[in-house]
Amino acid sequence: MLLLDYQNVLIQSLLTERFLGGSPVSIDQVVSDFDGVTFHLSTPESKTKILISIALKCFRELVTYGAQDVLEREYGPYIVSPEPGYDFSVQIDLDDLPTETEAKEDLVRRLSLLKRNVMAAPFERAFDEFATLSEAASRYTSELAPQGAKEGGEVMAIHYREEEAIYIKASHDRVTVIFSTIFREETDRIFGKVFLQEFVDARRRVLTLQNAPQVLFRNDTPLELEGIPGLKTSGDDKISYVTFVLFPRHLTLQRRYDNISHIQTFRDYFHYHIKASKAYIHTRMRKRTADFLQVLNRARTENEERERKTASGRTFRVQG
């Protein structure tokens, strides 16, 4: 299976070329990413000042979950007023870059991870809430724990696509991440169910995967989302829910960064492999059809009426 990159490769390659000695040129490039995210790279003031802007459908929701703090932590001195039509902007002066090569490469990496970092805010908040609730619950037995520690934190909803969302809820012993996803075709739902069943089977079968997060797939609304305002339901049952249960071993500081990066790309990873599976099956079907046509062509009988020539060159027909 193919793991998708967390960073935007076009931004990474363009900035790497500019940072490592490429001659300054005018830039005005719009870059599309997964989930309807749009970047704009431009040089509105001068060729040595690159403005990078991002537009997300769910940016206002992310700000309520601490996205501004995460962005200031990652891009503090480079933040400028947002470009019109975009939600957030940073500006890089090529004449004022770090001198060390490693520092330049780290800056390129952080800039190419702009989408990942802004989307990480609710996950970081949920992980912090888990730590707080876990510490509070450790002072009590399960029966005497306060109601707030038992129920956990609020459900954070991120409506990052037109009809799909991510829901995150922290508890004292886990963090639950729920993806709502739309299947436009019934065959996609079947492929998705088979694909996710392999997650479950591999977790049981492979010893090294037994510590992986629990994965659940269902068509009805999960219990964690009961009472959530604005929860969309589809009359023709096109909406399904994929639930990841992250346990304390997945929420340590050492694993936090990678786990947030992995789980963010799940929806794109999931639908990419459904489409790849369908394309592979169609390719096999076309090849099998071509093989059948070759067999039929070889089985075609020869023409019974054959022409022969005499020694003098005359032609006569032989009825076979």
Side-chain angles (χ1 to χ4, degrees):
M1 292 183 179
L2 175 67
L3 288 176
L4 303 178
D5 291 325
Y6 312 133
Q7 75 277 11
N8 187 287
V9 178
L10 291 176
I11 294 178
Q12 184 181 34
S13 60
L14 188 149
L15 293 180
T16 300
E17 180 184 352
R18 295 291 179 272
F19 283 20
L20 299 181
S23 58
V25 295
S26 297
I27 303 173
D28 187 9
Q29 187 171 356
V30 176
V31 180
S32 296
D33 208 327
F34 294 113
D35 305 321
V37 175
T38 304
F39 294 95
H40 184 209
L41 285 78
S42 60
T43 51
E45 297 181 8
S46 67
K47 294 181 180 179
T48 60
K49 293 184 178 181
I50 303 176
L51 182 67
I52 305 173
S53 303
I54 183 173
L56 302 91
K57 181 180 182 297
C58 58
F59 186 78
R60 291 185 180 180
E61 290 178 330
L62 294 171
V63 169
T64 63
Y65 301 135
Q68 195 64 38
D69 295 335
V70 175
L71 292 171
E72 289 179 1
R73 181 190 71 201
E74 295 291 333
Y75 309 106
Y78 304 105
I79 298 175
V80 296
S81 298
E83 180 182 358
Y86 291 85
D87 298 305
F88 179 79
S89 298
V90 294
Q91 184 169 270
I92 310 300
D93 190 348
L94 298 179
D95 295 331
D96 191 24
L97 292 174
T99 55
E100 299 83 3
T101 302
E102 293 80 5
K104 291 181 180 179
E105 292 175 348
D106 179 69
L107 180 57
V108 170
R109 181 188 62 81
R110 286 189 287 132
L111 292 170
S112 64
L113 288 169
L114 181 55
K115 178 198 169 191
R116 181 263 172 213
N117 289 334
V118 68
M119 289 286 292
F123 292 95
E124 292 189 5
R125 180 172 175 177
F127 286 17
D128 291 338
E129 285 184 0
F130 158 78
T132 302
L133 293 170
S134 178
E135 182 180 358
S138 65
R139 305 191 186 103
Y140 306 90
T141 63
S142 58
E143 293 80 7
L144 300 177
Q147 192 65 22
K150 289 182 179 179
E151 294 180 354
E154 65 169 325
V155 177
M156 293 178 282
I158 312 161
H159 298 87
Y160 68 116
R161 296 177 69 90
E162 192 63 36
E163 298 180 89
E164 302 180 21
I166 304 173
Y167 302 94
I168 309 171
K169 179 180 174 62
S171 302
H172 71 281
D173 60 346
R174 70 189 65 191
V175 171
T176 305
V177 181
I178 302 173
F179 289 81
S180 67
T181 186
I182 297 287
F183 292 107
R184 301 295 179 187
E185 301 176 6
E186 183 60 28
T187 53
D188 288 358
R189 185 189 298 276
I190 296 171
F191 275 103
K193 188 174 181 180
V194 173
F195 186 78
L196 292 171
Q197 185 61 42
E198 181 60 23
F199 274 47
V200 178
D201 294 342
R203 190 168 179 262
R204 295 173 181 169
R205 198 171 53 238
V206 183
L207 185 62
T208 56
L209 296 179
Q210 291 179 358
N211 290 328
Q214 185 179 9
V215 183
L216 306 172
F217 177 73
R218 58 194 301 170
N219 297 325
D220 55 330
T221 305
L223 296 177
E224 293 86 352
L225 302 185
E226 286 186 355
I228 300 297
L231 187 64
K232 291 186 177 181
T233 57
S234 178
D236 52 356
D237 297 328
K238 289 183 179 179
I239 294 183
S240 297
Y241 297 91
V242 182
T243 301
F244 286 87
V245 182
L246 304 179
F247 295 106
R249 59 179 175 272
H250 307 122
L251 307 174
T252 60
L253 292 176
Q254 295 80 6
R255 296 185 175 182
R256 169 186 287 205
Y257 185 90
D258 287 338
N259 287 340
I260 291 175
S261 300
H262 286 317
I263 205 164
Q264 275 188 31
T265 59
F266 168 73
R267 192 267 175 199
D268 306 312
Y269 168 85
F270 182 42
H271 281 267
Y272 168 82
H273 281 88
I274 289 176
K275 292 177 174 60
S277 299
K278 293 171 70 175
Y280 175 74
I281 289 176
H282 291 162
T283 301
R284 292 290 302 270
M285 290 170 62
R286 286 193 293 270
K287 185 173 187 312
R288 182 57 61 88
T289 301
D291 292 341
F292 286 156
L293 289 175
Q294 288 182 355
V295 172
L296 290 174
N297 289 334
R298 286 197 299 267
R300 184 176 299 171
T301 58
E302 296 182 1
N303 188 0
E304 294 184 355
E305 186 176 320
R306 300 187 298 274
E307 293 185 353
R308 292 186 179 180
K309 292 186 177 182
T310 63
S312 60
R314 293 185 178 183
T315 300
F316 65 95
R317 300 176 185 271
V318 177
Q319 299 296 329

